[in-house]
Amino acid sequence: MHEWTPGQELLAHTVIGFAIERLHLSKDPRWGARSAADLERELTGVVSETGIGGVEALRLFREVLLPACRPLDDPMMLSYVPGAPSVAATLFDLVVSACSVFAGHWESGAGAIAAENQALRWLADLAGFPPQAAGVFVSGGSAANLSALVTARHVAAQGRDRPARWRVAVSDAAHASVDAAARVMDVDVVRVAVDDADRMTADALRQALDADPAAGDGVFAVVASAGTTNAGAVDDLAGLAQVCAERDLWLHVDGAYGGAALCAPSARPALAGIERADSFGVDPHKWLFVPYDCAALVYRDPASAVAAHAQHGAYLDGIDRGESNPADLAFHLSRRARGLPLWFALATYGTDAYRAAVEASLATARWFAAEVARRPALELVIEPELSVVLFRRRGWTADDCWVWSATRAKEGIALVVPTTWRGEAVLRVCITNPRTTADHLALLLDDIERHPGAAAEAGFS
């Protein structure tokens, strides 16, 4: 297993060759999930006492397992928040694994951590954070939100009496991971209503905090959204920051999707106020073009995170606490240097390329929204703030939306999964791939217009 033999060398070239092929060849948009029973049959006998050999295992992955996965980097993958990793970032992800760096502590991963910190500094500067700001790369927005909230509660606990129940204020449109973090932490949620554009405002936050003084007294943090997953809405960050300053509350901005717009001048005004947050998160694997799994969590004052998260034990006595230790900034200890692909891509292409790529997605989304509004059979649900567009096909029922979505995904035309807006099933497109073009989307809209009764077309009544 650990010796470099002729067989291992052949396997290495075969695997690297496949990776290169996967990068530059077109993806099959018809790929998608198969039943667990089907895949279990295909995998029978693969894990055994003698193994099947690397070349055969790669063949199985290439021909059976990978086609049972959705190609999220296809330009017509328009649902959820798709990723579009760059060539350089993907290649360097291979390098990160090959180098086997432990990047939890400076003493074991100083070079890798220094590079990660440079990428984090770029993000902090985009947000307008002060020079002392610092952060860490974690696995995703869920880990970022949980780690930030643990820090926020620790800070609150040092400065005031413990309430009967700790609480966090969250909008109706916040990502589900915030509720999950509250359950893990055993804290309650104060729900804040959103406006007609899905945004949490300062007035709504004040009303929610004042509605129940006892509950309000237990609030230690507010989680704002910089690009909600469902509609791409950006909360009133400046107004929320003012409320938090008045009431001594921690403001965390969940920018897992929309935080990438910080590097786009045309969208930066929508995120005004983020510079006043105590922490923010952004997932480079969403709209900053790196592979899964990579999320950045940035703190205004990293010392508060260290106080909340640093682990201690006899086996950790030798750790130099004077240096940057990513393990001290989130709920983890072991970690790979998952921020290196972002750093390598930034170093390879430059920040101007990032600005241009994000602006390209925004421009395509604006064109798409205008084109929807232009077509009589279609209707915008709300004006998009970023690159998520919600729209309806006039006369379609929920069944029409879902059947059209399923048939077009199966045919490899596009993956457009409906969502719910104010109780109504509508169509949702999220554009984060610079290779998604107006030409692609015009054909998609033509197809929707041609099928006023998709459920009837598919034999549904």
Side-chain angles (χ1 to χ4, degrees):
M1 288 173 61
H2 299 93
E3 301 299 325
W4 190 258
T5 65
Q8 297 277 50
E9 182 161 351
L10 174 62
L11 178 60
H13 285 287
T14 303
V15 169
I16 296 299
F18 167 73
I20 294 171
E21 175 187 283
R22 176 65 179 79
L23 277 171
H24 75 84
L25 292 183
S26 296
K27 316 305 183 290
D28 189 339
R30 295 170 298 179
W31 285 355
R34 295 172 57 189
S35 72
D38 281 350
L39 292 174
E40 185 177 355
R41 281 193 296 271
E42 299 277 9
L43 291 170
T44 300
V46 169
V47 176
S48 62
E49 291 182 355
T50 58
I52 61 172
V55 173
E56 176 59 17
L58 180 61
R59 183 204 64 77
L60 183 65
F61 176 77
R62 177 179 180 169
E63 297 179 8
V64 176
L65 303 181
L66 186 60
C69 302
R70 179 67 63 186
L72 296 185
D73 51 347
D74 182 82
M76 293 305 285
M77 170 64 191
L78 301 169
S79 291
Y80 315 115
V81 182
S86 68
V87 173
T90 305
L91 290 173
F92 210 71
D93 199 52
L94 299 175
V95 172
V96 172
S97 294
C99 291
S100 191
V101 173
F102 176 84
H105 296 132
W106 184 265
E107 64 179 2
S108 58
I113 295 168
E116 286 187 311
N117 287 346
Q118 190 174 42
L120 290 162
R121 185 68 256 168
W122 174 64
L123 293 170
D125 288 343
L126 288 175
F129 267 36
Q132 70 269 22
V136 58
F137 288 100
V138 294
S139 60
S142 298
N145 289 338
L146 175 59
S147 297
L149 289 175
V150 167
T151 301
R153 184 176 61 180
H154 181 84
V155 170
Q158 305 310 301
R160 55 171 144 147
D161 293 337
R162 182 183 180 90
R165 292 286 296 171
W166 288 112
R167 291 173 170 83
V168 57
V170 180
S171 89
D172 289 336
H175 193 271
S177 64
V178 182
D179 283 323
R183 289 195 300 272
V184 170
M185 297 172 64
D186 191 27
V187 302
D188 294 335
V189 171
V190 173
R191 198 68 64 187
V192 182
V194 294
D195 63 14
D196 290 342
D198 228 25
R199 302 168 71 242
M200 177 166 57
T201 65
D203 286 344
L205 176 60
R206 286 193 179 94
Q207 291 172 14
L209 295 177
D210 293 340
D212 182 350
D217 288 344
V219 173
F220 65 92
V222 175
V223 179
S225 298
T228 57
T229 302
N230 203 40
V234 180
D235 289 339
D236 173 20
L237 302 182
L240 299 177
Q242 183 59 37
V243 175
C244 289
E246 294 167 359
R247 304 188 182 217
D248 194 24
L249 302 176
W250 183 284
L251 177 60
H252 174 65
V253 176
D254 177 6
Y257 150 62
L262 287 168
C263 69
S266 70
R268 182 60 179 85
L271 280 75
I274 194 172
E275 68 279 358
R276 298 180 62 186
D278 294 288
S279 56
F280 73 91
V282 56
D283 291 3
H285 65 226
K286 285 187 168 68
W287 202 6
L288 290 176
F289 319 120
V290 304
Y292 296 105
D293 50 4
C294 178
L297 171 60
V298 182
Y299 296 99
R300 171 178 298 278
D301 176 16
S304 57
V306 173
H309 290 289
Q311 299 184 33
H312 299 275
Y315 45 87
L316 298 174
D317 285 346
I319 300 302
D320 183 353
R321 302 290 176 176
E323 292 290 358
S324 176
N325 292 306
D328 292 344
L329 299 175
F331 64 79
H332 53 208
L333 180 60
S334 297
R335 65 178 295 272
R336 74 195 302 265
R338 55 171 46 90
L340 281 182
L342 175 61
W343 169 83
F344 187 75
L346 287 167
T348 298
Y349 302 123
T351 58
D352 284 352
Y354 266 82
R355 182 184 68 247
V358 174
E359 288 284 20
S361 297
L362 288 164
T364 302
R366 291 169 189 141
W367 174 90
F368 183 74
E371 184 68 7
V372 166
R374 187 187 69 80
R375 298 186 181 216
L378 307 175
E379 182 183 11
L380 272 181
V381 173
I382 56 170
E383 287 289 335
E385 281 194 89
L386 298 175
S387 68
V388 173
V389 182
L390 300 183
F391 64 107
R392 59 175 62 89
R393 171 61 163 94
R394 297 182 192 273
W396 273 17
T397 65
D399 281 347
D400 291 323
C401 291
W402 283 103
V403 172
W404 176 86
S405 171
T407 57
R408 276 18 182 197
K410 186 176 181 180
E411 294 166 6
I413 293 173
L415 184 69
V416 179
V417 175
T419 189
T420 302
W421 176 262
R422 307 294 190 258
E424 175 193 5
V426 298
L427 297 171
R428 174 187 176 277
V429 160
C430 180
I431 301 167
T432 54
N433 191 330
R435 296 181 299 138
T436 303
T437 67
D439 289 342
H440 289 131
L441 298 174
L443 293 173
L444 183 72
L445 293 178
D446 290 343
D447 183 73
I448 294 172
E449 283 192 311
R450 281 195 300 266
H451 298 286
E457 174 206 18
F460 288 72
S461 59

